[in-house]
Amino acid sequence: MSHFSGSQHEDFRALNDSVRFDWRLGPYDVEQSRAHVTMLAARGIISERDRDELLSALERVGRELADGSFPFLETDEDIHMAIERRVTDLAGAVGGKLHTGRSRNDQVATDLAMFVRAHAHQAIERLGELGETLVERAEEHFDWPMPGYTHLQRAQPVYLSHHLLAYVWMLIRDRERFAAVVSACGSLPLGAGALAGVNFDTDRELVARELGFPRVAQNSIDAVSNRDFVLDYLAAAAVCTGHLSRLGSEIVLWSSEEFGFVELADAWASGSSLMPQKKNPDAAELLRAKAPRVAGHLTAMHGVMHALPLTYNKDMQEDKEHLFDVVDTLELVLAAAQGMLGSISFRRERLAAAAADEFLAATDIADLLVRRGMPFREAHGVVAALVREAISRGTTLSALTREELAAHSPLLDEQYYELLREGAWLESKVSEGGTSLRRLHEQLEHARSALQVQ
Ligand code: ARG
């Protein structure tokens, strides 16, 4: 190019060229160029004839990119130059007019905003589908008791639907985060030129309308320096894959013989090459393991952008591989979670047996004492002593005698046994957001309508 006489070192090319990954921006680049060319002609900056020739070459390029026949050359540095080169091959000298009033700096920022916007929409859609699947699974297992855990120790019983809905709320928040990403992509960079604006009175509003941007970026310096929307996408993806990793992790545990709460469909498990009895939850394990990879890309991208002087710096070319890997990872794990959860089967008797553990009623006994006037802290101590006694004697809470109870507190009477007999610990959780079936009905409705929004 231009004032250089020597050719570039091959290692420099290997470092600097980006076409091996930024080819993915091709369709966005073509769409952008069509809008740009249309605007140039509308403003009389190029003739209508030039426009038509450019548009027809761009259309052909678009087709070539879509069907894989686009002829990439060794010498193509990035997708923007490859497309311009190809347009010139096809249309002749008029191809040189394509880049009028445009720089690769505002061009790449625009392609990228379009790419991120499209994939944020994709994430929103997949999150909605996964949310729907989990809501359906919650409905199917509405009143199946299971133990709830803290510290991975059995804590209080809940219904399976309650636990599944917990994930639905995470996904609903994820969807809100991706909706915020869409609005972060809303300012059109094109028209900023290299950094200072361009020497033509362009119509940026026209381009914005053509490309579906609600507004134009107000400051050309900011426009070409900005990669916030990439960071926002990566951040939303990091939180979302973090959620999916917790889901994956629970499925790994639940599918173990020790828990035995679920069985994976054959399509979502693998056998062992050595041990014939095994059914391995690989998909769930990978759901668990992908989250740090995404968080790593987010951290790396913060590293790329931090302390970077305005405006465009070649450092910013690094945004793409981080972004592309996260897009691919996120879309894959969302699809996998959807497939795995849609086909998993829950084992009612195993869940119920684990939930029938009497010690799960400890808080309920404490609350019985509270209702009889004992301060909660004191009641907690009394029940802890009961549990200790039962465990040390290898017995259960309901096997303790009236006399033994009386030694702990005179407030413990027949109702104590009733409470344990009833197994009514789930239905007593009547507070809003709690596990009683009445509250779960409410919650299911709320989750359903939250998923309907958007
Ligand atoms: N391939 C470049 C990138 O991805 C395009 C922008 C190049 N701009 C420049 N001034 N060299 O960032």
Side-chain angles (χ1 to χ4, degrees):
M1 261 195 341
S2 60
H3 60 282
F4 290 107
S5 48
S7 60
Q8 294 176 330
H9 193 285
E10 65 178 289
D11 290 342
F12 173 73
R13 299 279 323 256
L15 177 67
N16 189 51
D17 291 2
S18 53
V19 72
R20 74 173 186 285
F21 48 84
D22 67 15
W23 60 266
R24 292 179 66 163
L25 297 177
Y28 303 98
D29 207 69
V30 169
E31 197 185 336
Q32 176 195 148
S33 288
R34 293 164 59 98
H36 182 62
V37 161
T38 305
M39 181 278 290
L40 290 176
R43 280 289 164 139
I45 300 167
I46 62 170
S47 70
E48 295 192 348
R49 184 160 167 215
D50 290 346
R51 175 197 62 199
D52 294 341
E53 286 174 19
L54 288 169
L55 286 178
S56 92
L58 282 166
E59 196 176 320
R60 165 108 181 248
V61 167
R63 265 184 281 123
E64 290 177 344
L65 286 167
D67 68 17
S69 67
F70 183 92
F72 285 100
L73 301 184
E74 263 304 296
T75 45
D76 291 334
E77 178 183 318
D78 60 22
I79 186 65
H80 322 292
M81 294 177 83
I83 289 176
E84 186 181 334
R85 191 257 315 146
R86 181 66 183 149
V87 166
T88 307
D89 289 350
L90 292 168
V94 68
K97 297 194 177 184
L98 177 60
H99 212 49
T100 310
R102 183 171 75 171
S103 153
R104 272 188 297 157
N105 297 353
D106 55 349
Q107 184 179 4
V108 71
T110 302
D111 284 357
L112 211 57
M114 293 166 73
F115 178 92
V116 171
R117 180 180 66 189
H119 287 280
H121 280 300
Q122 181 67 232
I124 288 169
E125 196 171 308
R126 289 185 193 217
L127 282 162
E129 285 164 13
L130 179 56
E132 299 281 356
T133 299
L134 284 168
V135 161
E136 279 165 28
R137 305 314 317 259
E139 263 185 301
E140 290 162 22
H141 305 89
F142 194 64
D143 59 353
W144 290 29
M146 68 174 282
Y149 295 82
T150 62
H151 310 265
L152 199 58
Q153 309 291 316
R154 284 181 191 162
Q156 294 180 322
V158 293
Y159 290 110
L160 177 54
S161 54
H162 194 184
H163 196 97
L164 293 173
L165 284 170
Y167 283 103
V168 174
W169 293 107
M170 295 179 218
L171 302 178
I172 289 170
R173 293 195 298 275
D174 287 333
R175 232 174 36 156
E176 288 166 2
R177 267 181 282 274
F178 281 106
V181 174
V182 170
S183 40
C185 295
S187 303
L188 175 76
L190 202 67
L195 79 155
V198 298
N199 299 327
F200 300 94
D201 185 18
T202 51
D203 185 350
R204 298 184 65 204
E205 295 291 346
L206 184 156
V207 178
R209 268 195 311 279
E210 289 280 310
L211 298 178
F213 284 83
R215 53 191 177 273
V216 301
Q218 290 297 301
N219 181 310
S220 60
I221 292 175
D222 178 44
V224 294
S225 307
N226 178 25
R227 293 293 182 275
D228 291 1
F229 51 88
V230 175
L231 285 167
D232 289 343
Y233 179 93
L234 299 181
V239 176
C240 176
T241 49
H243 291 151
L244 297 178
S245 79
R246 299 180 77 170
L247 179 63
S249 174
E250 295 207 312
I251 291 169
V252 172
L253 289 170
W254 291 2
S255 62
S256 70
E257 196 43 53
E258 283 69 16
F259 277 82
F261 289 176
V262 295
E263 186 175 356
L264 291 166
D266 290 353
W268 290 98
S270 73
S272 158
S273 51
L274 181 74
M275 299 159 281
Q277 83 283 11
K278 291 193 73 187
K279 188 170 190 184
N280 296 327
D282 304 48
E285 293 170 275
L286 289 166
L287 232 55
R288 186 170 65 178
K290 292 291 186 189
R293 170 186 183 130
V294 172
H297 283 303
L298 169 64
T299 306
M301 187 60 194
H302 274 298
V304 168
M305 295 308 292
H306 113 278
L308 208 55
L310 306 184
T311 57
Y312 177 84
N313 298 268
K314 199 54 174 277
D315 308 48
M316 289 154 81
Q317 180 166 284
E318 276 296 293
D319 55 10
K320 287 166 210 64
E321 285 171 289
H322 295 304
L323 175 64
F324 295 161
D325 188 66
V326 169
V327 163
D328 294 343
T329 302
L330 177 70
E331 292 177 3
L332 186 58
V333 291
L334 282 170
Q338 163 88 4
M340 187 167 58
L341 265 300
S343 59
I344 205 166
S345 35
F346 294 93
R347 297 173 67 187
R348 185 168 204 158
E349 58 321 324
R350 294 289 302 239
L351 288 157
D357 181 345
E358 254 187 21
F359 290 119
L360 296 181
T363 318
D364 296 75
I365 299 168
D367 284 343
L368 175 70
L369 293 170
V370 168
R371 259 181 246 118
R372 293 180 172 178
M374 189 183 284
F376 176 76
R377 202 37 68 206
E378 194 183 322
H380 184 279
V382 168
V383 179
L386 287 174
V387 169
R388 256 195 317 276
E389 181 163 345
I391 289 175
S392 70
R393 298 198 355 234
T395 184
T396 60
L397 288 172
S398 51
L400 298 174
T401 64
R402 278 297 293 267
E403 291 67 40
E404 285 162 345
L405 291 183
H408 288 275
S409 166
L411 297 176
L412 289 168
D413 59 9
E414 204 44 47
Q415 266 229 292
Y416 167 92
Y417 298 104
E418 269 166 38
L419 194 149
L420 289 175
R421 255 196 310 276
E422 278 169 13
W425 327 315
L426 291 123
E427 285 310 304
S428 61
K429 299 297 180 294
V430 291
S431 57
E432 194 174 348
T435 216
S436 63
L437 291 175
R438 184 170 71 81
R439 290 303 191 177
L440 279 175
H441 268 296
E442 259 171 30
Q443 187 183 152
L444 196 64
E445 282 321 304
H446 292 155
R448 230 192 245 115
S449 50
L451 282 172
Q452 234 86 89
V453 185
Q454 273 180 4

